[in-house]
């Protein structure tokens, strides 16, 4: 079945519209994990397609008799210093759901469970009841937590206790977590050397960006579906490379080309205009991500490290080299050993990478976004 809706800027739910070998493989592996009753964790930067992968998986699951899912999305809380139980509300489910400001009610097989958000005690009791009733009435139930690292900032309740209860008591309920800050999510799910039960059988998947070839073929297929012939492979490859192979940015670029062509601009002439607009959009999104991070981790040392690494690229720097450069711009921590704590946090957040104790910023637009920040 052919995809009829290319270049959408929202997550896809149809398998035929999911592009990329790594993305289709992730759906297959994710579905296999939950059918085996295992916890699944899918990691990758924002806009790489994690929500699309879990959405396609959820739709495939829904078509199986007696299989249900409940989907929670915490992406809008990235950058917030704390969330409350009022923020833990399903955004989508294969069951019937009614929401109000103080509760949500899920119904299936004539049974309704209301989860109240007015107190920790009521929420904990009601959520446990919801899971018990789901287990009793479904062949398999799957709880999906998108951008789950945010749960680490839940006030007055350690949500991992409820997750532990699920895996201890309900073998037909599976858990799925996604995270764009990989290290932070894994640290939240496995806080110590002894893994909690819900992570002992976890299957961890990392979703890749598109290769230049995958991105170029996606654009060509999409343009064809809109009735446009864009034979300039070199320009399309350049666009994918400059946008970092991030599916969300590449899709935005494709849609921008289509809109410009509809305004009467020749597709060939629309390509460089669309790339400039898409670069601007991607930069704005990266800047939002950095600001959200700094809102939680409020220290000038973080932006100092990012600027040092952005300026040093393509060279990768050791911690001591970074420390010396930080001292030269007046934002170094007290001791050189302390710089590694900041580097670890930035790597867990997905902003930097390391190998053999050397650090760098991989994404070209992230490097450009970092350069737009000023030191305090």
């Amino acid at each position: 079945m052919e995809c009829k809706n290319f270049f959408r800027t929202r997550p896809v739910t149809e398998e035929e519209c999911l592009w990329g070998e790594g993305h289709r493989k992730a759906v297959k592996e994710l579905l296999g994990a939950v059918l085996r009753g295992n916890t699944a964790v899918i990691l990758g930067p924002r806009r790489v397609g994690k929500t699309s992968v879990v959405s396609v998986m959820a739709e495939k699951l829904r078509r199986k008799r007696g299989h249900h899912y409940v989907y929670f999305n915490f992406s809008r809380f990235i950058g917030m210093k704390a969330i409350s139980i009022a923020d833990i509300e399903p955004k989508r489910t294969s069951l019937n759901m009614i929401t109000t400001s103080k509760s949500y009610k899920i119904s299936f097989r004539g049974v309704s469970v209301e989860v109240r958000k007015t107190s920790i005690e009521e929420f904990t009791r009601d959520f446990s009841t919801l899971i018990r009733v789901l287990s009793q009435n479904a062949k398999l139930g799957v709880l999906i937590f998108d951008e789950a690292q945010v749960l680490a900032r839940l006030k007055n309740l350690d949500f991992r206790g409820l997750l532990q209860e699920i895996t201890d008591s309900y073998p037909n309920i599976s858990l799925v977590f996604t995270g764009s800050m990989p290290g932070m999510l894994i640290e939240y799910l496995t806080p110590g050397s002894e893994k909690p039960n819900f992570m002992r059988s976890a299957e961890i998947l990392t979703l890749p960006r598109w290769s230049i070839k995958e991105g170029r073929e996606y654009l060509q297929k999409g343009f064809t579906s809109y009735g446009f012939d864009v034979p300039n492979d070199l320009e399309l490859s350049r666009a994918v490379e400059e946008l970092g192979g991030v599916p969300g940015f590449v899709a935005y670029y494709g849609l921008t080309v289509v809109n410009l062509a509809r305004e009467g601009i020749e597709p060939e002439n629309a390509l460089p205009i669309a790339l400039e607009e898409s670069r601007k959009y991607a930069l704005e999104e990266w800047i939002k991500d950095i600001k959200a991070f700094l809102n939680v981790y409020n220290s000038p040392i973080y932006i100092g490290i990012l600027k040092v690494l952005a300026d040093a690229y393509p060279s990768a720097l050791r911690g001591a080299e970074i420390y010396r450069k930080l001292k030269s711009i007046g934002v170094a921590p007290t001791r050189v050993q302390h710089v590694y704590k900041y580097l670890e946090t930035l790597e867990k957040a997905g902003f930097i990478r390391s190998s053999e104790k050397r650090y760098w910023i991989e994404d070209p637009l992230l490097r450009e976004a970092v350069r737009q920040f000023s030191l305090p």
Side-chain angles (χ1 to χ4, degrees):
M1 190 172 179
E2 287 287 322
C3 177
K4 298 180 180 179
N5 193 357
F6 276 83
F7 303 152
R8 70 181 77 182
T9 54
R10 295 182 178 183
V12 304
T13 57
E14 309 93 340
E15 187 174 16
E16 63 269 18
C17 291
L18 189 68
W19 197 265
E21 181 181 350
H23 291 65
R24 291 189 290 268
K25 181 181 178 182
V27 169
K28 182 179 179 180
E29 293 181 347
L30 194 59
L31 184 60
V34 300
L35 291 176
R36 286 188 289 272
N38 290 340
T39 295
V41 182
I42 182 165
L43 306 172
R46 294 195 70 194
R47 307 168 201 88
V48 80
K50 299 183 301 298
T51 302
S52 291
V53 165
V54 297
S55 296
V56 170
M57 183 278 296
E59 285 303 301
K60 288 172 73 70
L61 187 80
R62 182 184 62 82
R63 292 195 287 268
K64 295 179 178 290
R65 185 177 179 85
H67 292 57
H68 296 285
Y69 72 88
V70 183
Y71 170 82
F72 300 83
N73 189 341
F74 300 108
S75 59
R76 67 191 180 99
F77 303 116
I78 293 176
M80 292 183 64
K81 294 182 178 180
I83 65 169
S84 71
I85 55 171
D87 301 317
I88 303 179
E89 177 180 285
K91 295 302 176 187
R92 191 168 67 246
T93 177
S94 57
L95 303 163
N96 296 319
M97 182 174 69
I98 299 174
T99 63
T100 69
S101 60
K102 295 183 178 180
S103 69
Y104 60 86
K105 183 184 292 185
I106 292 181
S107 304
F108 44 112
R109 292 195 175 184
V111 180
S112 294
V113 178
E114 182 178 21
V115 179
R116 293 164 291 180
K117 302 179 289 182
T118 48
S119 75
I120 296 290
E121 293 75 16
E122 288 177 336
F123 172 82
T124 302
R125 184 169 56 250
D126 293 346
F127 195 87
S128 295
T129 301
L130 172 64
I131 302 306
R132 175 174 54 79
V133 174
L134 176 61
S135 176
Q136 291 171 345
N137 290 274
K139 184 175 180 181
L140 176 69
V142 179
L143 303 183
I144 303 168
F145 301 95
D146 207 348
E147 297 294 1
Q149 71 273 359
V150 172
L151 287 170
R153 300 197 291 276
L154 178 61
K155 294 186 299 184
N156 304 319
L157 176 65
D158 189 341
F159 199 75
R160 290 171 298 192
L162 289 168
L163 300 175
Q164 189 68 70
E165 177 188 339
I166 292 169
T167 53
D168 285 348
S169 307
Y170 306 109
N172 66 329
I173 303 293
S174 294
L175 303 172
V176 173
F177 304 97
T178 84
S180 60
M181 296 182 171
M184 293 178 178
L185 175 57
I186 295 299
E187 185 176 58
Y188 169 69
L189 296 176
T190 56
S193 57
E194 180 64 21
K195 291 184 178 181
N197 286 348
F198 64 85
M199 284 297 290
R200 287 177 187 166
S201 61
E203 300 187 32
I204 300 176
L205 315 172
T206 299
L207 197 61
R209 302 175 186 218
W210 285 339
S211 67
I212 292 177
K213 180 175 182 291
E214 284 178 324
R216 184 180 66 244
E217 290 176 350
Y218 168 81
L219 291 169
Q220 290 169 333
K221 190 79 171 178
F223 292 141
T224 299
S225 74
Y226 282 97
F228 299 121
D229 181 25
V230 184
N232 194 331
D233 288 359
L234 188 61
E235 185 68 21
L236 297 184
S237 296
R238 175 188 163 215
V240 176
E241 183 175 17
E242 291 199 17
L243 295 172
V246 177
F249 296 154
V250 176
Y252 183 92
Y253 167 77
L255 184 61
T256 304
V257 172
V258 170
N259 287 334
L260 289 170
R262 284 172 171 170
E263 292 172 6
I265 300 175
E266 288 294 322
E268 190 74 14
N269 297 329
L271 297 180
I273 302 172
L275 179 55
E276 188 58 34
E277 288 188 19
S278 301
R279 282 174 49 83
K280 181 179 178 182
Y281 165 72
L283 280 171
E284 290 171 351
E285 292 299 300
W286 275 122
I287 288 170
K288 287 179 187 177
D289 289 350
I290 297 170
K291 287 181 176 178
F293 172 83
L294 294 174
N295 190 48
V296 178
Y297 299 91
N298 187 18
S299 169
I301 295 174
Y302 287 112
I303 196 65
I305 290 173
L306 289 173
K307 289 181 75 66
V308 164
L309 292 178
D311 291 341
Y313 191 85
S315 297
L317 302 182
R318 294 187 181 274
E321 295 173 299
I322 295 168
Y323 179 74
R324 287 195 294 270
K325 290 180 179 293
L326 289 175
K327 285 191 71 174
S328 71
I329 58 177
V331 291
T334 308
R335 297 182 179 182
V336 64
Q337 295 91 336
H338 295 167
V339 80
Y340 293 100
K341 178 187 71 174
Y342 294 95
L343 287 166
E344 181 183 15
T345 302
L346 286 167
E347 188 165 16
K348 286 180 179 178
F351 288 119
I352 68 175
R353 292 190 62 189
S354 71
S355 177
E356 298 179 347
K357 298 182 180 181
R358 292 183 179 274
Y359 301 85
W360 72 94
I361 298 175
E362 186 170 51
D363 190 279
L365 286 172
L366 175 56
R367 294 195 297 270
E368 193 169 332
V370 165
R371 295 187 182 104
Q372 297 191 20
F373 280 78
S374 299
L375 289 170

